[in-house]
């Protein structure tokens, strides 16, 4: 029950964001400002705080590799799906078809159902997930949207300009060298990072528009159908792998986690369809609320 309440509270914050937009307190144009705050300040602080609190077992880095691979499958699928519709459509699909909301959604779910040790495993998957979504996926998507970013140099420059990607690389390096931030730094990052869930969901609510063109609803249905068909196929493969049961169950469950709140932010950066992106993210949250606990009950 506690997990269901937490999940529904995320939906409630999205509703609040949409409501304050309709009341005129904020506008859709403010979405970009919220996205910059979330992607460049709040989320990096949350990552620093969470990584500082646990030791990363090198033997479990396969979970990070899994996070990279499943995102790559979805990114390639999005790229191919929109091959006939031009570079900007491909950019949108590369940025919005993959990625998994771990910190604000999946990890609390998994900890509630599978115990606190699962948080470390989920965080390792999320490291690969972030490298894929905020690293090469971000560079790939922005490169398709902007012709000037299609060279190798521009690709590498775009990756290195992703704050989230850079933070993850530093944190993983510090973990491998057994380094930690001083307590004063963590006091600051924990204060700022504590706002990540609220701000990310509020941002989605501000960008969400219910009254869309019929073609946008069709596009959302098309993208989400491809995402969940591929995730179901990958979950079937994962369930057959000779890996520990808890890792197998974790990977199957996270494949049905919502799309990360980073995706609408990245979509705003390339000047693409933020309303469609936030609609997809919101629907994926509702799917996750139902699918993830159901999978735990069926497979756990």
């Amino acid at each position: 029950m506690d997990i269901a309440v937490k999940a529904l509270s995320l939906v409630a914050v999205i509703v609040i964001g949409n409501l304050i937009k309709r009341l005129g307190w904020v506008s859709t144009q403010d979405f970009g400002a919220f996205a910059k705050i979330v992607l460049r300040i709040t989320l990096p602080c949350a990552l620093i705080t969470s990584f500082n609190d646990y030791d990363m077992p090198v033997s479990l880095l396969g979970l990070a590799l899994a996070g990279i691979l499943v995102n790559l499958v979805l990114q390639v699928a999005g790229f191919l799906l929109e091959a006939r519709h031009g570079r900007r459509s491909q950019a949108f699909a590369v940025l919005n078809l993959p990625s998994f909301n771990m910190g604000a959604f999946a990890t609390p779910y998994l900890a509630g159902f599978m115990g606190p040790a699962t948080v470390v495993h989920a965080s390792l998957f999320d490291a690969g997930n972030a490298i894929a979504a905020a690293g090469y996926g971000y560079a790939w998507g922005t490169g398709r949207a902007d012709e000037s970013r299609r060279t190798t140099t521009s690709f590498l420059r775009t990756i290195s300009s992703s704050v989230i990607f850079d933070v993850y690389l530093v944190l993983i390096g510090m973990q491998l060298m057994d380094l930690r931030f001083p307590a004063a730094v963590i006091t600051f990052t924990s204060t700022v990072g504590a706002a990540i869930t609220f701000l990310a969901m509020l941002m989605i609510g501000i960008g969400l528009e219910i009254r869309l063109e019929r073609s946008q609803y069709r596009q959302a249905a098309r993208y989400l159908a491809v995402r969940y068909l591929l995730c179901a196929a990958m979950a079937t493969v994962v369930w057959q792998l000779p890996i520990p049961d808890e890792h197998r169950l974790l990977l199957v469950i996270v494949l049905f986690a919502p799309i990360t709140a980073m995706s609408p932010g990245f979509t705003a950066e390339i000047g693409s369809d933020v309303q469609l992106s936030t609609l997809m993210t919101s629907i994926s949250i509702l799917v996750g609320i139902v699918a993830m606990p159901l999978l735990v009950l069926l497979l756990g």
Side-chain angles (χ1 to χ4, degrees), residues 78-99:
F79 180 81
L80 296 176
L81 182 69
E82 295 300 310
R84 293 183 300 173
H85 297 97
R87 292 186 297 105
R88 293 195 65 81
S89 292
Q90 286 181 309
F92 180 91
V94 167
L95 293 174
N96 286 276
L97 204 63
S99 80

Side-chain angles (χ1 to χ4, degrees), residues 53 87 92 153 155 189 197 199-200 253 268 276 278:
D53 290 339
R87 292 186 297 105
F92 180 91
T153 302
F155 183 88
T189 60
T197 301
L199 282 178
I253 293 170
L276 178 57
T278 54

Side-chain angles (χ1 to χ4, degrees), residues 84-194:
R84 293 183 300 173
H85 297 97
R87 292 186 297 105
R88 293 195 65 81
S89 292
Q90 286 181 309
F92 180 91
V94 167
L95 293 174
N96 286 276
L97 204 63
S99 80
F100 302 88
N101 188 332
M102 298 299 295
F105 194 95
T107 301
Y109 248 61
L110 292 165
F113 283 117
M114 299 173 63
T118 311
V119 172
V120 174
H121 301 160
S123 296
L124 285 167
F125 176 88
D126 194 30
N129 174 53
I131 288 171
Y136 68 80
Y138 172 73
W140 188 4
T142 54
R144 294 305 294 172
D146 184 350
E147 191 75 25
S148 66
R149 298 191 185 189
R150 295 184 66 184
T151 65
T152 301
T153 302
S154 296
F155 183 88
L156 295 175
R157 188 184 301 117
T158 302
I159 288 181
S160 63
S161 69
S162 171
V163 176
I164 299 168
F165 179 75
D166 293 341
V167 168
Y168 256 111
L169 285 186
V170 170
L171 292 174
I172 291 172
M174 290 180 65
Q175 281 284 331
L176 294 175
M177 292 184 289
D178 197 27
L179 298 175
R180 296 291 185 274
F181 285 101
V185 173
I186 299 305
T187 298
F188 170 77
T189 60
S190 61
T191 301
V192 177

